[in-house]
Amino acid sequence: MPIATVNPANGETLKTYEAMGEEELERRLQLAEATFRTYRATPFAERARLMNRAAALLDEIQQDIGRVMTTEMGKPIKQARAEAAKCAKAMRWYADHAEELLADEEPSESDVKDSGASRVLVRYRPLGPVLAVMPWNFPLWQVIRFAAPALMAGNVGLLKHASNVPQTALFLEDLFHQAGYPEGCFQTLLIGSGAVDDILRDERVKAATLTGSEPAGRAVASTAGDMVKKTVLELGGSDPYVVMPSADLDRAAQIAVTARVQNNGQSCIAAKRFIVHTDVYDAFAERFVEGMKALKVGDPMEEDTDVGPLSSEQGRDDLEELVDDARRSGAEVLCGGHRLRRPELPGWYYPPTVLTGITREMRIHREEAFGPVATLYRASGLDEAVLIANDSPFGLSSNVWTRDEAEVDRFVRDLEAGAVYVNGMTASHPAFPFGGVKRSGYGRELSGHGIREFCNITTVWHGA
């Protein structure tokens, strides 16, 4: 895949970049290793100053970087600006909390005495250069949620971004440079996916994090395992959205629309499978379909656009194949279901779509639909709702709508997911851990858990 900016709203190639050669990659790896030796000793106050400066710079150019993101991957411009603002918020959060989150810990006096020590500390020390393999769908946020905690912990970052968002990738390197970070603290590597294996095998790279597809995760995890290096993986998701009879149906249906089509439906944590109790199924389905039909599909640069194009022609084709497979196998299309063919929208658009009558034999039941396509299931009761929700190879997040506390307790206990959002839609926040189970990956990003993922947790024992 070429490293290029291709506008998904019209298919026009705007900029193409040459992949970095071996000599430039070697220079950057040497720089990362050398910078880490000094940056790791930087006081937290100085790290926080630099991170806050980067956040301030990001706020200043929110509109400009928003337009770059929209041009490169098609998200509505208002969502692009919101993504930039969210990144600045996370950067400030880690600037404010990193020192506390990584403070030395002292075991209990009795355990210290029992070990024969006069004092014992648990200290969090940075690992070194961390390779981040990042996706295009949230081209700023996915990177910042790795970079902010990694840099605040004293690590340095090497970014291999998706090949269709090179301008965003280069912007990120420039952002940290302009904020005053030493040159080797955060570097963008303009390389294809085929070069990742060699970089991860390099002894100077100490760990890796990947957000992306399951095949990409398997490849990185395999190499990292062979090299005995730490990894954090956030892979696909097919999140359930369960609606029970006690739910506020109007609110549940309204939020369901947003939960499905955010980022043009191209989000790992977007709700994708809507599992509705039979007592309220018809009422919910009517509201949900009406909401999906009312969305404006159009030019992502227009302020009132709700759904823009998919990021690539291949992505649109893959989504279309999932829908066509379900239709051939007996699924009913309640709205959408065919690619848009409008002269004023020549890009890779697909309309908001709702399918029902889904069976386990359909591909869309077990594969992630990466676009504005929702599947609607009828559940006879709580037990069946849990069974349908867990009948997926993924386990990233989940959404539950009920005002019955006993049902809440049951869902929290039994749903196989990294998060359960009750009467609301899944969202990421810097203070809360983020990640999944099953084929959605392992490890956690964000919060204290995320900043400690790439630390050497060191026991320091002092004799009596």
Side-chain angles (χ1 to χ4, degrees):
M1 181 178 180
I3 302 174
T5 296
V6 181
N7 189 343
N10 56 27
E12 180 183 357
T13 299
L14 302 176
K15 285 190 177 183
T16 302
Y17 298 81
E18 290 292 329
M20 290 177 177
E22 291 185 9
E23 184 176 330
E24 176 62 10
L25 287 175
E26 174 60 23
R27 185 189 74 81
R28 287 175 176 254
L29 286 168
Q30 288 181 11
L31 181 60
E33 182 183 44
T35 302
F36 173 67
R37 294 194 198 107
T38 54
Y39 179 71
R40 65 178 300 169
T42 304
F44 277 107
E46 174 62 8
R47 297 180 202 170
R49 185 190 70 80
L50 293 169
M51 188 62 67
N52 279 319
R53 177 58 181 151
L57 289 172
L58 183 54
D59 280 337
E60 290 173 10
I61 54 175
Q62 184 185 113
Q63 178 70 28
D64 292 339
I65 187 56
R67 293 183 68 84
V68 170
M69 286 191 285
T70 295
T71 299
E72 290 202 305
M73 54 72 57
K75 69 171 73 239
I77 186 65
K78 58 189 176 185
Q79 295 181 27
R81 290 196 303 269
E83 181 174 339
K86 181 175 184 176
C87 289
K89 175 182 177 180
M91 294 160 81
R92 292 188 175 97
W93 190 89
Y94 273 107
D96 291 343
H97 294 89
E99 184 172 11
E100 173 190 356
L101 294 171
L102 299 180
D104 291 348
E105 298 174 6
E106 297 191 30
S108 67
E109 289 185 16
S110 61
D111 286 334
V112 171
K113 183 179 179 180
D114 184 61
S115 76
S118 62
R119 188 185 185 197
V120 177
L121 296 175
V122 177
R123 177 161 293 175
Y124 295 94
R125 299 187 294 159
L127 290 178
V130 179
L131 174 65
V133 182
M134 293 288 109
W136 48 262
N137 57 335
F138 291 94
L140 271 189
W141 172 240
Q142 304 281 14
V143 178
I144 291 299
R145 74 185 193 192
F146 138 75
L151 289 171
M152 285 304 301
N155 295 300
V156 301
L158 296 165
L159 170 64
K160 188 284 178 212
H161 217 325
S163 293
N164 60 332
V165 290
Q167 292 186 65
T168 306
L170 292 171
F171 162 81
L172 282 158
E173 179 179 80
D174 188 60
L175 175 69
F176 288 110
H177 179 70
Q178 292 296 323
Y181 280 88
E183 185 183 1
C185 271
F186 186 94
Q187 299 180 82
T188 287
L189 308 180
L190 286 183
I191 56 175
S193 58
V196 169
D197 189 81
D198 285 344
I199 293 172
L200 188 51
R201 290 183 182 279
D202 193 290
E203 292 293 344
R204 291 164 293 192
V205 175
K206 302 304 182 185
T209 179
L210 177 141
T211 299
S213 68
E214 186 182 338
R218 288 179 183 275
V220 165
S222 177
T223 298
D226 189 44
M227 299 301 295
V228 196
K229 293 182 180 180
K230 176 70 178 290
T231 53
V232 171
L233 303 181
E234 193 265 279
L235 308 178
S238 190
D239 292 1
Y241 189 102
V242 182
V243 182
M244 299 298 286
S246 65
D248 178 340
L249 284 189
D250 289 333
R251 182 69 174 159
Q254 177 189 4
I255 297 299
V257 172
T258 303
R260 184 62 203 98
V261 303
Q262 60 175 318
N263 208 45
N264 303 338
Q266 300 166 123
S267 172
C268 296
I269 58 169
K272 298 183 177 77
R273 298 177 297 130
F274 296 82
I275 303 160
V276 186
H277 191 285
T278 188
D279 291 351
V280 292
Y281 179 90
D282 292 336
F284 176 86
E286 180 181 3
R287 290 166 171 80
F288 183 45
V289 172
E290 286 178 357
M292 293 284 275
K293 286 180 176 179
L295 296 168
K296 179 184 175 181
V297 179
D299 184 345
M301 287 295 183
E302 294 181 2
E303 293 290 339
D304 60 346
T305 290
D306 298 307
V307 179
L310 299 188
S311 71
S312 68
E313 185 174 19
Q314 185 62 57
R316 197 261 309 273
D317 291 347
D318 290 345
L319 187 68
E320 189 174 46
E321 288 177 10
L322 283 181
V323 173
D324 289 347
D325 172 79
R327 184 190 288 110
R328 288 193 299 269
S329 299
E332 180 183 358
V333 180
L334 301 183
C335 67
H338 296 279
R339 71 169 63 181
L340 291 181
R341 302 183 187 278
R342 289 159 49 184
E344 74 276 17
L345 298 177
W348 303 310
Y349 290 88
Y350 199 86
T353 297
V354 179
L355 304 176
T356 191
I358 306 300
T359 64
R360 299 187 80 248
E361 292 71 32
M362 298 174 185
R363 288 177 54 203
I364 202 166
H365 176 75
R366 60 185 184 274
E367 297 180 27
E368 181 178 20
F370 221 56
V373 174
T375 52
L376 196 54
Y377 297 78
R378 186 190 296 266
S380 60
L382 187 150
D383 289 342
E384 187 176 20
V386 171
L387 286 173
I388 297 172
N390 288 340
D391 189 21
S392 169
F394 301 106
L396 192 52
S397 188
S398 60
N399 312 259
V400 174
W401 286 77
T402 176
R403 287 182 275 203
D404 185 321
E405 287 302 318
E407 289 180 349
V408 171
D409 290 344
R410 174 72 187 281
F411 283 120
V412 170
R413 186 192 75 183
D414 290 349
L415 287 179
E416 297 168 351
V420 180
Y421 277 70
V422 180
N423 297 327
M425 67 178 251
T426 298
S428 52
H429 186 283
F432 310 141
F434 182 91
V437 295
K438 300 196 287 189
R439 293 187 185 177
S440 288
Y442 53 75
R444 290 296 180 266
E445 296 177 289
L446 303 176
S447 75
H449 296 279
I451 196 171
R452 297 183 194 112
E453 286 281 9
F454 295 117
C455 287
N456 175 0
I457 305 173
T458 309
T459 298
V460 182
W461 188 96
H462 295 267

